[in-house]
Amino acid sequence: MDLLASLGEAVAALKAPLGPADTEQGWTDDLRREIQEEISVYRSVLRRHGPAMVRHLRPRLDEWLAREGVRPGRLRDAVLEVQRLLTEARDAV
């Protein structure tokens, strides 16, 4: 799967309403929307300006989730996967 598709999947997962397990893991609607918007910006930058722009992206999503006290779960896994993919793509450029 390519990077843009992975970003799209993460955005879709974050657009869906939170379930009880998500809220127990520390997610709020505001946090969900903010992270979704951040990933949407990354996706837009790469779509509009090309994959080489990944070298300018410095995702700190892990730090953000840690500050918010988000515990492991499906959304956290999806967000951290986005960060991993962006970092790997940046390092490959």
Side-chain angles (χ1 to χ4, degrees):
M1 179 177 303
D2 72 1
L3 179 57
L4 288 176
S6 295
L7 294 174
E9 285 185 7
V11 167
L14 289 161
K15 280 185 178 182
L18 295 173
D22 301 322
T23 55
E24 288 173 12
Q25 293 158 2
W27 287 91
T28 64
D29 282 330
D30 287 341
L31 177 61
R32 177 186 57 80
R33 276 190 296 274
E34 290 169 359
I35 298 279
Q36 181 264 317
E37 288 172 8
E38 186 79 5
I39 294 172
S40 291
V41 168
Y42 297 151
R43 184 176 61 171
S44 292
V45 165
L46 296 174
R47 277 185 180 162
R48 289 183 185 151
H49 304 288
M53 287 301 291
V54 74
R55 78 180 73 142
H56 300 289
L57 302 178
R58 301 282 185 252
R60 302 277 193 276
L61 301 170
D62 58 341
E63 294 172 11
W64 191 352
L65 295 178
R67 273 193 312 275
E68 295 291 334
V70 174
R71 293 180 301 282
R74 70 178 184 90
L75 291 179
R76 183 175 177 265
D77 290 347
V79 170
L80 294 181
E81 179 67 4
V82 163
Q83 179 170 313
R84 184 187 70 76
L85 292 170
L86 288 169
T87 301
E88 285 180 358
R90 185 186 69 222
D91 292 345
V93 173

